[in-house]
Amino acid sequence: MSDDQVAACERFVGDLTRSELEGFFLLDSTALDLIADKRGPHNRLGAALQIGTARFLGHFLTEDPLEVPWSAVEYMADQLAIEDPSVVKRYTERQQTAYEHSWEIRRAYGYRDFADASVREALEEFMSARAWIHAEGAVALFEQAKAWLRRERVLLPGVSVLARLVSSVREESDQRAHRSLAEAAAGADVELPMRLLDLLEVPPGKRVSELERLRTPPRSDSGLAMSKALTRVHEVLALAQVQGVPVNRLAALARYGWAGKAPLLKGLAEPRKTATLLATARRLEAAAVDDALDLFDSLMATRLISPARRATDRARLEAMPRLEKASTTLMAVARTVLELLDGPAGPVDVGQVWAAVERAAGPQAVVAEAVATVTELVPDPDSWEAGNRQAIAARYRVVRPFVWLLAEELPLGAAPAGTDLLIEIRGRIPGLLRRRVDQKPLTEADLNMALVPPMWRRAVLHNTALTVPPIGTRTRCACSPSCTRRCAAATSSRTRRCAGPTRARSC
């Protein structure tokens, strides 16, 4: 504790606020009855100040009971109808008076001494529970102990006495947490403590320890980085789960282990070393899963959704000249028909209509071709969205390996609203990913259609393009139409590369 913090515990520091005066120096009926029989205004005011001092500081000012802010003196004098507050200076003329009044106040309010064995035992029980659950710092626990003593009307001891007690309780709680975590690690797997200690070692040929490697998140948006991120999740999840230790305790140990270097952690004594490594592994689990999900989200955006959107926009731009030409023809047809209908009343001859249409737009075959073109390029108002979904589905093979690993490796959970989706991810997706959709396309019976939005059904159902050659097979290279070389099929962590002269180009 700083000198200012110690001083604030021992005496008044600075002036008092209005709320502090009303909270600690307002005289209640017990105080008024106690003060009523005191002789002289200086004794009544001095006794009142001792009552407020005991409430505010938690103890009496034995050396100088008048060492209080003048605002408190005036506030007390106003309640006691004492016109001249300065008469309080006579209160210390007889030293024994202040001691006698302090003992009267103790009896009237039921103040107990800290030396009472029952008080110390109850305080240690409170502080132990507080330190175990909240993992607070020393100063915070010191303030909680002071607050408990005030609530229980126990006179505070010296700062050093209470500080030593706080220190011993915190040390005992830390040792209890270390023992509990070390026992939990050994109870889950007898080899787990050794695996945790191995995290501090630097493997042959490497420059950093295994702990540092697992703490390092992926640094690029690529399929290889995604594969490494999921492998990292798998390695971290191999460590045992911990129960019976408060979350705050685990978090405090994890912060220390996360920031500490391997040589520093290696120098810790047991069982603190094992406990710190186990808590760090728990934090690694959350960090690894979050990093993998963030990377997957980035890959979905940069490698799947954005390219599909660009492909859809490019296809629409490429089709725009055809659409404009067909629309011009149909516009001429519509204008001609409307002009005939707006003419003199009477029946309109079909032959006359077609003759006018042919003069304005061209032969019947040209009009029919324009209708077919518009029908093809603008099938419905949501054609762009539908086309975008089709383009995303066409790039299915880009994310298929990652979806497989995400479904099987990540410890996913769900709120009640997402339970059905989680069941599909865990139970159905791995089987569908192994399926040869070109031989057996997806149907409504294979999916929970309540989870498939209408816009996606056209891109998913009966789509034979949602397939990837099984691992280990070979296929013709797609580098260029003229390339007849063969390349290995894709795996979860490798991009297919041509095995021939064009091997620098991605397949």
Side-chain angles (χ1 to χ4, degrees), residues 8-150:
C9 296
E10 295 178 343
R11 60 183 182 274
F12 290 95
V13 177
D15 205 356
L16 300 174
T17 64
R18 185 68 184 181
S19 60
E20 289 174 338
L21 290 173
E22 293 176 351
F24 296 96
F25 289 86
L26 183 64
L27 298 176
D28 55 11
S29 58
T30 303
L32 293 174
D33 293 341
L34 184 64
I35 296 170
D37 61 347
K38 301 297 182 290
R39 293 183 299 177
H42 60 286
N43 284 331
R44 293 197 301 272
L45 185 53
L49 289 174
Q50 289 219 71
I51 293 174
T53 299
R55 292 174 179 172
F56 188 87
L57 295 179
H59 61 85
F60 296 99
L61 294 174
T62 55
E63 294 183 2
D64 185 1
L66 298 183
E67 192 180 0
V68 297
W70 188 251
S71 58
V73 177
E74 293 179 335
Y75 187 73
M76 286 291 195
D78 184 63
Q79 295 181 72
L80 296 175
I82 298 176
E83 296 181 357
D84 184 11
S86 62
V87 299
V88 75
K89 297 177 182 179
R90 296 176 52 196
Y91 184 64
T92 56
E93 292 177 354
R94 180 175 178 272
Q95 188 176 8
Q96 189 65 24
T97 300
Y99 285 104
E100 293 173 353
H101 289 174
S102 66
W103 281 105
E104 292 179 9
I105 294 170
R106 289 187 185 197
R107 289 192 296 269
Y109 282 95
Y111 282 115
R112 294 178 290 170
D113 195 86
F114 183 79
D116 190 341
S118 61
V119 170
R120 188 181 181 90
E121 181 180 351
L123 177 61
E124 289 181 351
E125 182 179 355
F126 165 77
M127 293 171 61
S128 297
R130 183 87 190 184
W132 175 250
I133 296 174
H134 295 278
E136 295 173 320
V139 176
L141 187 58
F142 184 90
E143 294 297 330
Q144 290 293 335
K146 284 174 54 180
W148 184 90
L149 291 172
R150 285 197 183 98

Side-chain angles (χ1 to χ4, degrees), residues 135 174 177-178 181 211 215 242 245-261 265 268 272-287:
D174 290 342
H178 299 160
L181 288 171
L211 177 61
R215 285 191 297 199
V242 182
V245 178
V247 176
N248 289 335
R249 277 275 161 196
L250 285 174
L253 284 173
R255 284 194 298 270
Y256 183 82
W258 189 268
K261 299 295 183 180
L265 300 179
L268 297 177
R272 183 184 179 186
K273 183 194 300 184
T274 301
T276 303
L277 290 173
L278 188 57
T280 305
R282 287 295 307 276
R283 177 167 177 174
L284 273 173
E285 175 186 328

